[in-house]
Amino acid sequence: MTHTQSAGLNRKFLWGGASAANQMEGAFDEAGKGLTTADLAVFVDKTTGQKPKKELSLEDIAELKARDGNFPKRRGNDFFHRYEEDIALLGELGVTAYRFSISWARIFPNGDDATPNEAGLQFYSEVIDACRRANIEPVITLSHFDTPLAIVENYGGWSNRKVVDLFRAYAQTVFRRYAGRVAYWMTFNEINAALEIPFKGAGLAFSNSPSYEADTHRGLHHQLLASALVTSDLREISPDAQMGCMDASFLTYPYSSDPEDVWLALNENRAYYLYTDIQALGVFPAWYRKDLERRGLSIELTEDELALIKEHTVDYISFSYYMSFVASADPSRQKGEGNLKGGVDNPYLPQTDWGWSIDPLGLRIALNDMYDRYRLPLMISENGFGAVDKIVDGTVHDPDRISYLRQHIAALIAAVEEDGVDCFAYLVWSPIDMISAGTSEMKKRYGFVYVDFDDTGAGSGARIKKDSFAWYQKVIASNGADLG
Ligand code: BGP
C-alpha cells in the first residue's frame, strides 16, 4: 500500500481512535491471561497530594501482588465483555481506523509459555472481525505499557537479551494468526518510555544497584532490536502489512533566545528524536554514543544485530501528541506537569486541568519537523483532551474537548495542505473513556463516549454519547472539511 501525496486530505485518510488493552479491557485474570505490570498500578487519590509510584522494585511488586486495593487497570472500562457494543459505537461514529493493543500476557500468560493461549488469540480475532464488519481498519500495537509480570520477575525485564526472542515468538504468533486482516502494526507504544519510566516502558524493576542505568539503556536497545526483528518477520508473514514505530512527542521550545536555552532545547529534541532516528534511519546517532561513553555505558549489541536494525527500518512513523515542552537553563523556572515527563511552564499557552499545555500549532510544527527529518508517511497515533466530564440531562456537554480537537485537526490539515506533509491518519485518544495511563484515574476522561464508572469502579458501565460524538462524526463524514 502506498500513500500518495495530493492537495488536501487524501480520500483514504484514516480518521480514528486509539486505546490500549491495559486501560480498557479489564478481565485481568480471565480467559487465561497472566498478570502484567499494569495490573499493579494502584489508584492514588490526587486530593491527598500523593503521586502514584512509577518505578516499582521487586519488593514493591511482591507487596502489591499480595495486597487488596483499588487497581483500576485490572477492571479497565470492561471492553473485554463489551467490545461488540463498543465497536458498534465506533462504527456509528464513522471511524475508519481503530488502534488497540494486544496484551502479550493474554497470548502468553508468562511471556515464555511453550504454546499460546487460544482464548486470548480468539478474543482479538473477534475484535478484529468486529472492526472489519464495521469497515474499520485495525491498527495494532504489540506492546502498550503492559509487559507480562513474569518477564519482570523471572527475566529482569527487557534488560535481558532472552526477552527479545520471547517477544519475537509472541509477535510471530499474532502476525500468523491475523495475517491478511490487519494492515497496520506498531511495536512499542511511546518507546521513549523505556528511558523515561523504565518499569512501565521496559518491564524493569527499580533497583539501587549501580547497574540500573546500564540496564535501562540495554532494555531500550533490546526493544529496538526486537522492533527490527519483528519488522522483518512481518514482511515475511504478512507482506502487505506495514510496521510503524511510536514515540511520545516531546517537541521542546527554548524558553528564550538565550543560547543556553536554545542549546538545552536542542539537546531535549534530539533525545526525543533518538528513537525514531534508530527505527526510521537505522542509526544510533553520534551524540548518543558519546553520551553513553561519558556515562561509562555502551551499546551491547553485536555487529550483526546493528546491521539488522539498519536493514529493517519502519514503513511509517507514528507519534502521540498532547502538548509541547519548554527548556530553560534557569533552574528556578516553574516545573510543570506533562505527558511522561514534566518541564517548564510555557507562559504563552493555556493548560488542561492536569497541567498539560494546549498547543495546536505545536502539532503542525511536530508534523513538519518529523517529515523534514524522515520523509516517511506519518500517523498521529494519539491526540486528545483529558478532562472531568459531568452528566447533565443524560448527556455530556464537552465544548472544551471539541475546541481542543478542532484546533489540532485544523493544524494537521494545514500541515498537509499548506506544508505538504504526508500524514495519512489521525487517531483520537481515546474514543471511549478509559482508565488514565499516568494516574489510573477514571475521572480523567478523553472519550466521545462517556463510561459510567468512577475511580472506585462503581457504576453501571453504561456508554453515553457526549456532544463531541456528533461533532467528530461530522468531521469524519466531511473528511475534515467541516470542523463545526
Ligand atoms: C499516552 C499513552 C496512553 C494514554 C495517553 C494519555 O502517554 O500512550 O496510554 O493514556 O498518554 O495519558 P493519560 O492517560 O496519563 O492522561
Side-chain angles (χ1 to χ4, degrees):
M1 204 175 298
T2 53
H3 298 282
T4 46
Q5 238 181 276
S6 60
L9 294 183
N10 193 302
R11 271 186 298 112
K12 287 192 177 151
F13 189 84
L14 297 173
W15 293 99
S19 66
N22 76 87
Q23 292 168 254
M24 63 165 189
E25 285 177 8
F28 79 105
D29 59 355
E30 284 180 47
K33 177 181 163 294
L35 280 180
T36 74
T37 50
D39 295 322
L40 299 188
V42 73
F43 178 76
V44 175
D45 189 346
K46 259 178 72 165
T47 55
T48 63
Q50 283 177 294
K51 289 207 163 165
K53 190 168 180 183
K54 287 192 177 148
E55 300 310 319
L56 304 183
S57 64
L58 287 174
E59 294 70 35
D60 293 328
I61 293 171
E63 192 264 318
L64 285 161
K65 274 171 78 175
R67 190 211 288 185
D68 284 335
N70 184 357
F71 295 94
K73 288 173 184 160
R74 295 184 183 184
R75 52 178 187 267
N77 68 8
D78 201 27
F79 178 82
F80 188 79
H81 299 115
R82 297 173 190 248
Y83 69 91
E84 284 177 281
E85 179 188 354
D86 285 351
I87 294 170
L89 277 163
L90 296 179
E92 189 184 335
L93 186 58
V95 300
T96 48
Y98 176 45
R99 172 178 172 235
F100 58 91
S101 69
I102 295 180
S103 183
W104 180 359
R106 251 190 218 293
I107 311 297
F108 290 97
N110 299 294
D112 63 354
D113 311 71
T115 50
N117 171 32
E118 177 54 31
L121 285 169
Q122 187 54 30
F123 169 65
Y124 295 109
S125 181
E126 286 169 21
V127 170
I128 292 167
D129 285 349
C131 287
R132 303 218 73 94
R133 278 197 301 276
N135 293 317
I136 298 170
E137 186 66 61
V139 177
I140 300 187
T141 317
L142 287 168
S143 178
H144 192 133
F145 297 164
D146 61 353
T147 308
L149 203 56
I151 292 281
V152 183
E153 296 173 311
N154 305 332
Y155 291 88
W158 275 94
S159 64
N160 186 335
R161 173 64 177 79
K162 285 188 194 140
V163 176
V164 175
D165 300 322
L166 297 173
F167 181 78
R168 192 174 182 193
Y170 151 60
Q172 289 174 340
T173 302
V174 294
F175 292 162
R176 285 203 187 98
R177 179 66 176 251
Y178 309 129
R181 292 194 278 161
V182 179
Y184 298 99
W185 293 86
M186 59 184 82
T187 43
F188 296 94
N189 179 64
E190 299 186 336
I191 190 165
N192 23 6
L195 296 184
E196 297 293 333
I197 41 172
F199 179 70
K200 206 183 238 181
L204 201 73
F206 177 74
S207 97
N208 284 316
S209 135
S211 70
Y212 180 70
E213 191 187 9
D215 290 346
T216 59
H217 284 271
R218 196 183 314 108
L220 169 67
H221 303 160
H222 286 155
Q223 290 193 336
L224 293 163
L225 172 63
S227 293
L229 288 168
V230 306
T231 300
S232 100
D233 291 337
L234 182 68
R235 285 176 184 149
E236 268 184 27
I237 297 170
S238 203
D240 290 336
Q242 299 205 15
M243 181 59 83
C245 55
M246 159 50 163
D247 238 332
S249 176
F250 285 168
L251 174 73
T252 303
Y253 307 138
Y255 188 85
S256 74
S257 53
D258 176 350
E260 294 291 345
D261 284 356
V262 176
W263 175 237
L264 208 65
L266 182 146
N267 279 291
E268 295 277 328
N269 280 317
R270 67 181 177 190
Y272 148 53
Y273 287 123
L274 166 68
Y275 314 87
T276 316
D277 282 352
I278 299 166
Q279 292 185 286
L281 304 177
V283 290
F284 281 77
W287 71 264
Y288 179 61
R289 288 175 178 272
K290 288 279 180 200
D291 185 52
L292 288 178
E293 225 173 271
R294 263 193 306 275
R295 298 166 190 237
L297 310 174
S298 60
I299 300 166
E300 297 165 32
L301 297 177
T302 65
E303 285 307 315
D304 285 352
E305 289 171 336
L306 290 171
L308 279 165
I309 290 176
K310 176 112 187 98
E311 190 182 347
H312 302 293
T313 52
V314 292
D315 300 304
Y316 69 94
I317 292 170
S318 87
F319 63 93
S320 62
Y321 178 86
Y322 291 89
M323 58 181 293
S324 55
F325 293 80
V326 174
S328 165
D330 175 353
S332 71
R333 297 246 175 255
Q334 200 193 329
K335 285 276 170 197
E337 297 283 324
N339 183 22
L340 301 195
K341 65 170 195 166
V344 176
D345 279 340
N346 188 327
Y348 298 97
L349 298 175
Q351 295 184 344
T352 70
D353 287 345
W354 271 261
W356 295 18
S357 64
I358 299 176
D359 181 12
L361 181 55
L363 177 59
R364 185 171 178 181
I365 297 170
L367 282 163
N368 274 277
D369 242 15
M370 277 278 183
Y371 194 57
D372 285 351
R373 199 169 170 113
Y374 304 111
R375 298 275 152 199
L376 279 177
L378 303 177
M379 168 192 283
I380 298 167
S381 47
E382 291 181 24
N383 175 236
F385 181 76
V388 173
D389 290 328
K390 295 237 168 350
I391 298 279
V392 178
D393 303 329
T395 185
V396 173
H397 304 300
D398 53 348
D400 293 347
R401 178 169 297 107
I402 293 173
S403 157
Y404 177 99
L405 295 174
R406 179 190 292 123
Q407 294 177 68
H408 284 75
I409 293 172
L412 143 72
I413 292 174
V416 174
E417 288 186 351
E418 294 174 39
D419 311 331
V421 169
D422 181 6
C423 175
F424 68 98
Y426 174 76
L427 312 183
V428 173
W429 187 274
S430 55
I432 299 173
D433 289 348
M434 59 191 65
I435 307 293
S436 154
T439 67
S440 296
E441 290 164 300
M442 187 67 204
K443 67 172 164 294
K444 189 179 187 190
R445 296 170 184 274
Y446 286 85
F448 301 115
V449 175
Y450 182 92
V451 173
D452 179 30
F453 283 128
D454 68 12
D455 284 339
T456 68
S460 65
R463 278 46 180 160
I464 298 158
K465 290 175 215 160
K466 306 180 193 176
D467 286 354
S468 55
F469 188 95
W471 174 82
Y472 195 46
Q473 220 171 20
K474 228 168 35 181
V475 172
I476 298 174
S478 66
N479 199 27
D482 183 356
L483 297 186

